[in-house]
Amino acid sequence: MIPIKPLANLPTHDVTNMPPHLGDQDLWGGDAVLRECVLREGGGKAEAKFALFGKRMGAVEMFEKADLANRHEPEMKPFDRYGMRINQVAFHPAYHDLMAMAIENEVPNFAWNNPGAGAHVGHAALTYMFSQVEGGVMCPMAMTYAVVPALRGTSSVNEEWLPRLLSTTYDPRDIPVFEKKGVTMGMFMTEKQGGSDVRSNSTKAVPIGTATGMGEAYRLTGHKYFCSAPMSDSFLTLAYSEGGLSCFLVPRWTPDGERNTLYLQRLKDKLGNRSNASSEIELQDTWGVMVGDEGRGIRTIIDMVQGNRYYCAASSAALMRQGFIQALHHTRHRSAFQKMLMQQPLMRNVLADLAIESEAALALTLRIGRAMDEAENDEGASALARIGTAVAKYWVCKRAPGHTLEALECHGGPGYIEDSIMPRLYREAPLNSIWEGSGNVMCLDVLRAMHREEAAIPSVLAELEAARGGNASLDKAIEDLSAELAASEDLELRARRVTELMAITLQGALLVRHAPNAVADAFCASRLGARWTGAYGALPAGVDFDAIIDRATPN
Ligand SMILES: Cc1cc2nc3c(=O)[nH]c(=O)nc-3n(C[C@H](O)[C@H](O)[C@H](O)COP(=O)(O)OP(=O)(O)OC[C@H]3O[C@@H](n4cnc5c(N)ncnc54)[C@H](O)[C@@H]3O)c2cc1C
């Protein structure tokens, strides 16, 4: 892309002290921490692919498409010109380009197309690079990734949908599945009266024929208050059948090639994530096929939820990384009070603190990715993947909005202006913390994992033990965590405290074992020290700021 050369001399003043355009970013080659973490956690076999993707995805052109897709929001087209129901959503061409970019590069299906070591780690790496540029498209990509395990048990559904979910062809045509080259999938669980509490769902399902249960056809009636990516080819949902709350696949088209009776009511006017459509829908005698066992709907759909939760952690880590890159660029090229901002001691403190948070977020996310990769053959890894996903979803997503705000503030006024990418990142940041299980719900899920899986706590403690002796503050924090876990009273009341301690000790342990001393020491001295308030830029004196910032600087 040829950069636009601006006119620097205006009639009234010369433009000075303004940063140059950031230009193309190399999201893989320029990110030493990402490369290190991916290789360490077993994702090295696809290094060449990641290198190519990182260059393509970080190009200015992609950031421009992301900007366009968010400025020109999706528009609902429920009817055609003759008054016929078509339930369409029209997107800007940039949105389709980004969808094609994601699907052609296996963002939603790398893990399933490349099983074994590095599968989920690689998926997280692709997600991390893509999410730095655009979050809205990642919603259908995350759901398309996450749905695969939920379909596995229902062979008829799996046979039809799986090959198309694993396809690298973006096929946006609104036509029946059997005519499509590739598909995307969404989910709608949330109803008006309950999102976290899905047992309060009121949608009903009645069998079409005499046969009932897994793989059989039903008609669903009810409403869903949130349905993101409503142009997806099908959705998983929950509805009450005679045997209890069950999971159903609801396609846009019925198997006999008719448009399904799925009625888009309106699109949500959202704080952020604006390139992605999120809708309200009604189901009236809508065709659906039962997935999984009757009455075990939550058990079936939870596999999809778990994948989406993992995505949330990876994408929040990505927001931190891109926020840091933008803040670094601005402060490197802007001076105030006779010094470049980046040379001001207090700004160095903020930047270094943002860098260690970002590295800790990525290290934890990719470690959980490896546990997912090893889960099939290793009980400890399976337990760590289960509890660790909830811990990472809670903590990484919880830390992202503050991180993004601080990166925005590094820009001063221009950070608040839409021309910069920062307002978009800022609006995106709270979302991962809300959907797929809001903060409290995630912490309660950590307790659930602790109680239901014997190996859950031992898997966390084993991870921590591997770093014991490496840092006194970490050792003390591990003791604190053990004491919190040993005390059985008021556990629900303390669920955030317990989850936070698990998250920061796991992050500390990973950094102590694998990161340079400068990063690990600063993390432990702040996050695991006595006076940490959570605000950025309060690292103690003695921290090696140069080493931390150099490591995080794109090279
Ligand atoms: C942009 C966007 C897109 C979305 N897309 C989809 C989609 O595609 N499909 C879909 O199904 N849903 C979607 N959702 C819905 C989302 O998953 C829910 O909003 C979320 O799970 C929370 O449910 P709720 O809104 O009913 O809040 P509630 O369940 O009412 O929760 C409100 C608050 O109470 C807390 N809380 C709940 N239970 C407890 C408890 N026992 N103890 C303490 N605190 C508790 C929660 O953590 C939360 O902070 C979307 C939401 C947004 C914002």
Side-chain angles (χ1 to χ4, degrees):
M1 165 149 298
I2 303 164
I4 299 168
K5 199 163 165 44
L7 186 66
N9 305 78
L10 302 182
T12 54
H13 63 285
D14 290 343
V15 179
T16 61
N17 198 20
M18 280 288 172
H21 286 281
L22 179 50
D24 293 336
Q25 297 182 37
D26 184 346
L27 300 177
W28 174 263
D31 190 339
V33 174
L34 174 64
R35 294 196 311 273
E36 231 178 82
C37 289
V38 167
L39 299 195
R40 179 171 77 233
E41 303 301 358
K45 70 183 176 194
E47 211 178 336
K49 178 187 179 81
F50 301 149
L52 197 61
F53 184 70
K55 274 208 172 74
R56 284 193 185 150
M57 201 59 224
V60 170
E61 190 190 349
M62 287 297 155
F63 282 93
E64 286 177 351
K65 284 183 193 296
D67 183 55
L68 281 172
N70 279 275
R71 279 181 199 272
H72 302 277
E73 291 175 22
E75 225 181 279
M76 184 167 139
K77 304 254 184 227
F79 299 99
D80 70 8
R81 60 184 287 197
Y82 303 110
M84 302 291 189
R85 259 283 177 179
I86 50 170
N87 289 321
Q88 302 290 302
V89 180
F91 293 87
H92 189 275
Y95 173 88
H96 291 293
D97 291 350
L98 289 165
M99 287 286 284
M101 177 73 181
I103 291 174
E104 285 164 11
N105 285 284
E106 292 188 310
V107 172
N109 48 31
F110 175 87
W112 315 120
N113 286 336
N114 301 275
H120 293 282
V121 169
H123 164 252
L126 291 168
T127 294
Y128 183 74
M129 290 189 272
F130 200 107
S131 300
Q132 289 184 51
V133 183
E134 218 289 296
V137 160
M138 282 308 299
C139 168
M141 293 303 91
M143 293 192 286
T144 300
Y145 151 74
V147 75
V148 170
L151 300 185
R152 272 198 187 122
T154 310
S155 55
S156 56
V157 169
N158 207 32
E159 275 160 28
E160 181 149 58
W161 289 89
L162 189 67
R164 294 172 173 93
L165 287 166
L166 302 190
S167 160
T168 51
T169 302
Y170 174 48
D171 184 348
R173 294 173 301 162
D174 185 21
I175 52 175
V177 57
F178 48 82
E179 293 176 20
K180 292 206 67 161
K181 296 187 169 73
V183 295
T184 60
M185 278 190 70
M187 77 188 322
F188 41 72
M189 292 201 290
T190 310
E191 298 187 2
K192 291 192 181 95
Q193 70 281 358
S196 314
D197 183 8
V198 288
R199 288 198 184 277
S200 68
N201 274 195
S202 61
T203 300
K204 298 269 183 299
V206 290
I208 292 176
T210 49
T212 60
M214 188 194 300
E216 299 300 336
Y218 284 71
R219 294 224 173 266
L220 279 64
T221 299
H223 81 280
K224 296 289 169 179
Y225 198 37
F226 279 93
C227 167
S228 289
M231 288 304 292
S232 300
D233 295 286
S234 70
F235 309 85
L236 284 199
T237 191
L238 293 175
Y240 278 99
S241 60
E242 204 173 83
L245 194 57
S246 305
C247 179
F248 295 88
L249 180 143
V250 175
R252 286 182 69 84
W253 294 80
T254 63
D256 46 12
E258 294 299 318
R259 196 175 278 287
N260 207 355
T261 51
L262 188 72
Y263 301 107
L264 243 65
Q265 299 300 104
R266 63 169 168 164
L267 297 189
K268 303 276 198 189
D269 187 6
K270 295 181 288 183
L271 168 67
N273 194 256
R274 299 187 80 103
S275 64
N276 176 34
S278 297
S279 64
E280 293 171 25
I281 56 165
E282 288 193 5
L283 311 169
Q284 194 176 359
D285 288 330
T286 307
W287 191 93
V289 53
M290 190 180 286
V291 174
D293 290 325
E294 181 160 18
R296 303 268 295 153
I298 296 178
R299 178 65 211 89
T300 304
I301 211 165
I302 205 73
D303 282 340
M304 182 173 185
V305 172
Q306 187 79 349
N308 285 335
R309 288 175 175 172
Y310 184 63
Y311 151 77
C312 290
S315 120
S316 286
L319 289 172
M320 292 188 198
R321 174 65 186 163
Q322 189 53 224
F324 173 81
I325 291 172
Q326 299 286 337
L328 183 75
H329 179 74
H330 190 87
T331 55
R332 266 170 131 182
H333 293 97
R334 171 96 175 162
S335 73
F337 304 102
Q338 292 86 47
K339 261 191 198 169
M340 290 321 254
L341 283 174
M342 198 196 155
Q343 298 309 329
Q344 300 283 6
L346 196 48
M347 184 59 89
R348 290 186 82 63
N349 197 325
V350 171
L351 290 169
D353 210 9
L354 293 176
I356 58 174
E357 188 72 29
S358 169
E359 176 161 354
L362 183 64
L364 177 61
T365 304
L366 291 184
R367 174 66 190 92
I368 301 307
R370 176 153 71 90
M372 290 162 77
D373 287 334
E374 294 169 349
E376 203 172 309
N377 305 312
D378 179 336
E379 194 196 345
S382 167
L384 184 62
R386 165 71 183 89
I387 193 168
T389 298
V391 170
K393 156 76 162 91
Y394 172 66
W395 187 242
V396 176
C397 300
K398 190 59 74 193
R399 293 291 289 160
H403 192 283
T404 311
L405 163 65
E406 207 59 61
L408 182 154
E409 196 174 313
C410 289
H411 293 71
Y416 200 70
I417 304 304
E418 291 290 340
D419 285 349
S420 85
I421 187 181
M422 291 314 302
R424 181 157 63 80
L425 296 186
Y426 182 64
R427 285 194 297 267
E428 192 70 26
L431 182 54
N432 286 324
S433 193
I434 295 171
W435 60 9
E436 304 301 335
S438 307
N440 288 351
V441 170
M442 292 321 304
C443 295
L444 296 174
D445 192 49
V446 169
L447 300 192
R448 195 172 303 116
M450 278 165 54
H451 291 136
R452 289 204 181 154
E453 294 200 28
E454 225 174 280
I457 291 302
S459 74
V460 172
L461 294 179
E463 195 66 20
L464 299 179
E465 281 306 316
R468 207 192 266 274
N471 183 289
S473 301
L474 175 61
D475 290 352
K476 164 80 174 55
I478 297 172
E479 295 307 322
D480 292 347
L481 174 63
S482 302
E484 287 284 347
L485 293 171
S488 53
E489 72 284 358
D490 295 331
L491 198 51
E492 189 168 330
L493 191 81
R494 292 184 288 115
R496 279 195 183 222
R497 188 175 165 72
V498 168
T499 306
E500 176 178 326
L501 254 176
M502 258 186 222
I504 56 179
T505 49
L506 282 169
Q507 289 181 324
L510 286 164
L511 296 182
V512 163
R513 285 171 68 199
H514 305 298
N517 287 346
V519 174
D521 291 349
F523 184 91
C524 294
S526 53
R527 276 61 172 170
L528 306 179
R531 294 188 58 246
W532 191 54
T533 64
Y536 290 95
L539 293 174
V543 160
D544 188 346
F545 295 98
D546 290 349
I548 296 170
I549 295 171
D550 282 355
R551 174 170 168 78
T553 299
N555 47 0

